[in-house]
Amino acid sequence: MRIGVYPGSFDPMTLGHLDICERGSAIVDKLVIGVLENSSKKPMFTVEERLQMLKEGTKHLPNVEVRPFSGLLVDFLREQKATIVVRGLRAVTDFEYELQLAQANRNLYPDMETVFLCTNAQYSFISSTVVKDILHHGGDVGHFVPENVIKIIKQIRRN
Ligand code: PNS
């Protein structure tokens, strides 16, 4: 069984993330979305909220699981018996950072491979950072975030 991990902060989940989940789940038997818990960045959403968004946003994908992780990605890969890391590329500007991550991970775990998937061009301008900024200023993220995830965000921000 070919198991892939799609790791990230997902703070919050965007349409770009959903696109990569759909593409990634089509090329592996099981795709585990790994939600980073102990990020050095201060997240807008708690790990429980981000897990809830991803579970809801990918519920139409039967071979996708959503799990939190902390510590090194390679340890999470071993724990999940995964050898593939899926990451999305929106533009060439993403590549340098992604290459660094991929090389560091391969160094720590030589049996793994990183697979880069190209985000659909219509989502190439979307990032969680942009979504957070819009939310912060009370704007509409309807064109940036999956519909069922918007409902969760509205619920969280109302509380
Ligand atoms: O969505 P992001 O924030 O760009 O995702 C970055 C992520 C979670 C993939 C990366 O920070 C990560 O893998 N962190 C876990 C710690 C780790 O393994 N570091 C060593 C490799 S650089």
Side-chain angles (χ1 to χ4, degrees):
M1 175 139 136
R2 185 170 287 186
I3 303 174
V5 165
Y6 176 29
S9 306
F10 305 105
D11 184 40
M13 180 190 188
T14 67
L15 282 169
H17 293 137
L18 175 58
D19 184 44
I20 297 302
C21 291
E22 288 173 346
R23 289 171 197 284
S25 63
I27 60 166
V28 292
D29 298 306
K30 181 167 97 175
L31 184 70
V32 180
I33 304 176
V35 183
L36 185 67
E37 255 189 299
N38 62 339
S39 174
S40 51
K41 308 172 206 167
K42 171 117 184 60
M44 177 179 257
F45 297 96
T46 66
V47 71
E48 290 78 17
E49 290 165 347
R50 288 179 277 143
L51 289 167
Q52 190 193 354
M53 289 178 210
L54 284 153
K55 281 181 186 161
E56 185 63 27
T58 62
K59 66 179 181 191
H60 60 296
L61 301 171
N63 64 335
V64 169
E65 285 178 14
V66 185
R67 300 192 185 284
F69 82 100
S70 52
L72 287 177
L73 175 60
V74 290
D75 292 337
F76 183 61
L77 288 181
R78 288 193 178 97
E79 195 187 296
Q80 297 298 318
K81 301 192 180 346
T83 49
I84 296 171
V85 167
V86 171
R87 289 284 286 174
L89 289 178
R90 290 165 298 187
V92 74
T93 42
D94 283 339
F95 186 67
E96 207 166 307
Y97 169 65
E98 293 299 334
L99 185 63
Q100 210 177 5
L101 282 192
Q103 298 289 27
N105 286 330
R106 183 191 277 168
N107 221 275
L108 294 166
Y109 184 16
D111 291 341
M112 60 83 67
E113 287 294 344
T114 300
V115 175
F116 296 118
L117 300 178
C118 300
T119 310
N120 188 320
Q122 76 182 110
Y123 305 132
S124 61
F125 68 97
I126 300 177
S127 71
S128 294
T129 307
V130 165
V131 171
K132 273 183 283 200
D133 202 39
I134 296 170
L135 287 173
H136 184 73
H137 292 99
D140 177 11
V141 292
H143 293 126
F144 302 77
V145 172
E147 222 174 290
N148 42 7
V149 173
I150 293 176
K151 283 190 194 138
I152 296 173
I153 291 178
K154 281 187 178 158
Q155 219 172 351
I156 292 168
R157 291 178 68 84
R158 227 180 281 130
N159 297 335

